Amino acid sequence: MSNVKYAPEEPIAAIATALAPAALGIVRCSGKNCIELVSAVFSRPNALRAASGNTLVYGWIISGGAKIDEVMVSVYRAPKSFTGEDMIEISCHGGPGVVMAIHSLLLNSGFRQAERGEFTFRAFINGKADLTKAEAVQEIIDSRTEESRSRAAGRLAGNLFEEIDAIKKLIIDTLASIEVEIEYPEDEETIADSFDMQNLKQAERRLEALGSTWQGEKLYQDGARVVLCGRTNAGKSSLFNAILKEDRAIVSDIEGTTRDWLESWVDFDGVPVRLFDTAGLRKTDDVIEAHGVELTKNLSQDADVILYLADASAGLTQDDTAFLSECTEPVVFIWNKCDKTERKTPLPPITEINPKIHAVLEISAKNAFGFEKLYAAVKNVLTDGIPSERAQAGLGSARQKAAVEEALESVRHSICAAQDDYTLDAVVEDLENALNYLGEITGEVSADDVLGSIFSRFCVGK
């Protein structure tokens, strides 16, 4: 499967924690005879072999009579384990040298190095998780905000599987009615009158609703690009640091300090945002700074939202107006340094410059004033067109979205076929196609290359 060589039941081992100094490290094992194999390098082999499932055994990992590390071994007996096989998890001290030594010892004692996603793959093939739950595991690992994690956790808990299953039941019940009609035909005026279409119409509505969730779910998975723009000394770097709550960008009263761009992931009211701090916009003879200005313009063209800063104490300049009037991306305009000046005249109108300017805010990057409104304004732009109320079940991947669209098209075609008085066999074929597409989502129907693509993106220890 896509160059990934999985061999079920073969004993496998992998380091399941990051190779960095830490309090604990975990080496994970699964497969046939894995408990027996670990006992051969454990100071208390009989205790380990006799251990019940879901228990801990204390001891030492040993090699040739020498002690490697003092450990706690978690024992899981099939089928009550993550993979559905016998499993061992060795909790050792978290130094990279210790973790690697234990892992190497296991590989020299009968274990094979696990492939990417092989533990989760085994959970899938052993019926411990359907494909939506398996994909949700990687989503949780990749999640950057609490909201992202929560949405993935819902799929891991089975809400997407349950919705797919409910839609399938509506289609299966309709198929059963049609099969009865085929076996025992009656004199109906039309094909549409020969069975109740309500289940199909309900399946159509639920598939439409499910497909519409992908736009929002994708935002919380992939995040958005938000670019800070503005003239030199507008306070972009100060705002960047304030949002990150750390001094990542150099802040100076000297114009042109930022010549390159910096980026970092941040949480904008639950939405993962890749935030860019950029060089100030101005004409300059400095070749390096001029290149930085060009980078700023290029980044802004790929932005999902531009945060354009202007110094409230200096007012709007021709450079500001020129940039804003040409923007084709959504803009949240920010009057910064509102703590520095007491204005005698109101600030000029901004939204008239360009309809792409969605909001105008007043903040102080120095005092963190107005940040809640800033986060809300950006989120409003990013979630425009996405239902504000989160659906009970949402799609977790483009693969799932494509399968739902195909299933929806098949259901719609079946409805049209019935209404246009096609044969019942034609309606059955459409509905069977819909069931196959829904089966692809949960993994009941899966090509090897699809499985390989999914699980090869996982960590080795997953």
Side-chain angles (χ1 to χ4, degrees):
M1 294 187 304
S2 295
N3 297 323
V4 179
K5 300 174 183 178
Y6 296 140
E9 293 192 348
E10 186 178 2
I12 56 173
I15 298 170
T17 48
L19 275 176
L24 293 174
I26 295 176
V27 181
R28 171 181 268 186
C29 312
S30 184
K32 191 174 182 180
N33 296 326
C34 79
I35 297 174
E36 185 70 28
L37 289 172
V38 173
S39 71
V41 294
F42 190 61
S43 61
R44 301 174 60 210
N46 293 333
L48 188 58
R49 287 193 289 263
S52 302
N54 303 317
T55 58
L56 292 172
V57 182
Y58 162 80
W60 287 77
I61 297 295
I62 56 174
S63 175
K67 293 180 176 180
I68 293 180
D69 193 25
E70 188 177 25
V71 300
M72 293 294 293
V73 178
S74 303
V75 180
Y76 304 95
R77 299 279 182 178
K80 296 182 178 181
S81 71
F82 174 71
T83 61
E85 305 172 329
D86 284 350
M87 284 188 69
I88 287 284
E89 288 187 352
I90 302 170
S91 298
C92 59
H93 292 95
V98 174
V99 177
M100 288 168 48
I102 294 174
H103 181 238
S104 297
L105 178 61
L106 293 176
L107 297 183
N108 291 326
S109 302
F111 286 95
R112 169 176 63 77
Q113 169 63 43
E115 300 286 350
R116 285 180 174 272
E118 189 165 3
F119 290 94
T120 309
F121 174 76
R122 292 189 180 197
F124 167 67
I125 63 171
N126 290 325
K128 303 298 289 186
D130 72 282
L131 211 50
T132 64
K133 293 181 181 179
E135 288 177 291
V137 171
Q138 188 62 32
E139 284 184 59
I140 288 177
I141 293 171
D142 292 339
S143 60
R144 297 181 183 277
T145 69
E146 174 60 21
E147 179 67 16
S148 303
R149 182 211 58 77
S150 175
R151 287 168 180 260
R155 283 182 281 279
L156 183 60
N159 60 20
L160 177 56
F161 175 85
E162 290 168 3
E163 179 63 11
I164 295 294
D165 206 43
I167 295 171
K168 284 172 59 181
K169 187 177 186 306
L170 292 170
I171 297 172
I172 290 169
D173 287 349
T174 303
L175 273 172
S177 299
I178 294 174
E179 294 293 346
V180 170
E181 181 58 31
I182 291 174
E183 292 293 328
Y184 306 99
E186 296 181 1
D187 294 330
E188 301 287 353
E189 293 184 5
T190 66
I191 295 297
D193 294 331
S194 64
F195 65 94
D196 188 352
M197 297 258 291
Q198 292 307 307
N199 279 353
L200 287 188
K201 290 180 178 178
Q202 186 181 351
E204 180 185 26
R205 289 192 297 271
R206 292 177 77 159
L207 284 169
E208 287 173 343
L210 192 57
S212 69
T213 64
W214 173 233
Q215 183 184 0
E217 297 299 325
K218 187 175 188 298
L219 172 64
Y220 285 95
Q221 282 184 31
D222 296 347
R225 292 167 63 96
V226 175
V227 178
L228 292 165
C229 292
R231 279 182 48 78
T232 54
N233 279 18
K236 299 182 298 299
S237 295
S238 295
L239 180 57
F240 184 78
N241 288 343
I243 291 174
L244 267 60
K245 297 182 174 61
E246 60 178 278
D247 292 334
R248 280 282 305 279
I250 297 174
V251 176
S252 170
D253 292 333
I254 301 172
E255 292 190 346
T257 303
T258 304
R259 299 186 172 201
D260 204 345
W261 49 268
L262 299 174
E263 64 173 284
S264 184
W265 284 98
V266 293
D267 182 344
F268 266 49
D269 199 14
V271 178
V273 163
R274 192 176 169 194
L275 184 66
F276 292 83
D277 178 30
T278 63
L281 298 167
R282 68 167 180 171
K283 294 181 179 179
T284 175
D285 294 328
D286 187 305
V287 175
I288 297 176
E289 186 183 353
H291 182 60
V293 172
E294 285 303 311
L295 286 175
T296 298
K297 293 178 179 178
N298 291 338
L299 283 170
S300 69
Q301 291 171 1
D302 293 327
D304 294 300
V305 179
I306 292 173
L307 292 183
Y308 194 89
L309 274 71
D311 186 342
S313 62
L316 205 65
T317 69
Q318 288 184 346
D319 289 332
D320 296 322
T321 304
F323 180 88
L324 290 169
S325 62
E326 295 175 0
C327 270
T328 57
E329 295 73 28
V331 176
V332 172
F333 185 90
I334 299 171
W335 287 114
N336 189 29
K337 306 183 183 180
C338 289
D339 57 314
K340 287 184 63 175
T341 179
E342 294 182 3
R343 296 185 300 276
K344 296 180 180 179
T345 57
L347 292 168
I350 301 298
T351 53
E352 298 174 1
I353 298 174
N354 189 330
K356 285 288 187 178
I357 299 175
H358 288 253
V360 178
L361 307 175
E362 297 183 22
I363 74 163
S364 167
K366 180 180 179 181
N367 297 332
F369 165 75
F371 279 24
E372 288 186 9
K373 291 182 178 180
L374 169 61
Y375 296 146
V378 172
K379 184 176 181 179
N380 285 341
V381 176
L382 293 173
T383 58
D384 184 35
I386 298 173
S388 56
E389 186 174 345
R390 179 170 142 190
Q392 180 69 22
L395 298 175
S397 69
R399 180 193 73 83
Q400 295 170 5
K401 166 68 170 172
V404 164
E405 287 178 341
E406 294 285 3
L408 176 59
E409 181 61 28
S410 295
V411 169
R412 283 174 174 167
H413 196 271
S414 72
I415 294 172
C416 290
Q419 291 173 339
D420 293 343
D421 211 22
Y422 280 64
T423 65
L424 286 174
D425 287 340
V427 177
V428 168
E429 183 177 355
D430 284 329
L431 296 183
E432 287 178 343
N433 286 339
L435 288 176
N436 282 335
Y437 288 123
L438 293 176
E440 288 181 7
I441 297 174
T442 57
E444 295 166 81
V445 180
S446 292
D448 282 354
D449 58 343
V450 173
L451 293 180
S453 173
I454 291 169
F455 290 103
S456 64
R457 292 184 288 108
F458 280 53
C459 309
V460 171
K462 274 292 183 183

